[in-house]
């Protein structure tokens, strides 16, 4: 069985923890990584505090192949992700001339003057790898410790920059995941033994089986949706067929992903 690349996510921001802002970045990351065949193992949300960021990122970096952070890289006093991660790995902080010059040019076009606050957005952990996979976006993805990718918290920019990494990440993963979903009108209690037996058989092939109950009545009389996922498409399909027959199920189409 081919080793699956694992990933982790660290979302930085008091606004997430207080409920002021809804985190959509981790969901987008999870969806993209699944499609690329990379297994997202954990998501941590931490406050805008140096020690919290350091602890989270250092721990995740040591336990997973890839780590993605979101948030805390703007110009204000509470944007401390860069310096916190630098401290976590014993790195310096250094102004990147290319990024600084780009920001200064944009500021001058607006008739403004470059300030120390603008300069903060061009001051990165050093040494680091600055990834500019899209030539039209000069603000880089900063990568440190060989596996930590530092991304912005603004969802639109997070999405664009993460998308720019797809080719690089695909080359690490090698193969994608396949997923099937089965609906049934039977309850979880009724199908529990069937799923346990199926999972025992699926473990050898690195295939995961999960069950997700529906609450309340629905027009299709669905009580549970069973998810089968793995990298061996033939085995995924075979296991799906077996489970479908045993739980009197039918293919489920998740309209939210259409």
């Amino acid at each position: 069985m081919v080793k699956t690349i694992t990933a982790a996510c660290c979302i930085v921001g008091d606004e997430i923890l207080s409920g002021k802002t809804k985190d959509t970045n981790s969901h987008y990351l999870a969806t993209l990584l699944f499609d690329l065949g990379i297994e997202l193992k954990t998501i941590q949300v931490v406050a805008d505090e140096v020690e919290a960021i350091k602890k989270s990122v250092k721990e995740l970096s040591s336990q997973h192949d890839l780590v993605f952070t979101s948030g805390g890289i703007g110009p204000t006093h509470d944007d401390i992700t860069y310096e916190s991660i630098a401290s976590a790995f014993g790195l310096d902080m250094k102004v990147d001339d290319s990024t600084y010059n780009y920001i200064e040019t944009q500021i001058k076009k607006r008739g403004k003057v470059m300030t120390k606050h603008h300069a903060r957005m061009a001051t990165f952990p050093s040494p680091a790898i600055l990834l500019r996979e899209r030539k039209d976006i000069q603000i880089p993805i900063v990568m440190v410790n060989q596996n930590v990718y530092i991304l912005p918290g603004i969802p639109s920019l997070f999405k664009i920059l993460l998308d720019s990494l797809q080719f690089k990440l695909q080359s690490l993963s090698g193969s994608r995941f396949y997923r099937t979903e089965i609906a049934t009108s039977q309850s979880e209690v009724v199908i529990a033994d069937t799923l346990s037996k199926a999972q025992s058989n699926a473990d050898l092939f690195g295939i995961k089986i999960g069950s997700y109950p529906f609450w309340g009545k629905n027009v299709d009389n669905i009580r549970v949706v069973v998810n089968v996922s793995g990298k061996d498409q033939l085995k995924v399909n075979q296991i799906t067929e077996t489970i479908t027959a045993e739980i009197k199920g039918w293919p489920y189409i998740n309209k939210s992903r259409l």
Side-chain angles (χ1 to χ4, degrees), residues 6 35 38 45 65 71 82 102 152 191 198 215 221 238 251:
T6 67
D35 290 341
I38 296 170
V45 183
D65 299 303
Y82 283 141
Y102 170 75
I191 68 175
W215 181 255
N221 195 31
Q238 289 176 344

Side-chain angles (χ1 to χ4, degrees), residues 62-91:
S62 69
Q63 295 175 357
H64 303 283
D65 299 303
L66 304 169
V67 178
F68 300 88
T69 75
S70 166
I73 60 173
T76 59
H77 71 282
D78 55 344
D79 291 314
I80 56 173
T81 296
Y82 283 141
E83 48 261 59
S84 298
I85 292 178
S87 177
F89 298 110
L91 306 176

Side-chain angles (χ1 to χ4, degrees), residues 146-163:
Q146 303 300 314
N147 70 343
V148 178
Y149 295 81
I150 308 172
L151 292 155
I154 300 171
S156 58
L157 190 53
F158 178 90
K159 180 179 182 295
I160 290 171
L161 291 177
L162 186 63
D163 284 347

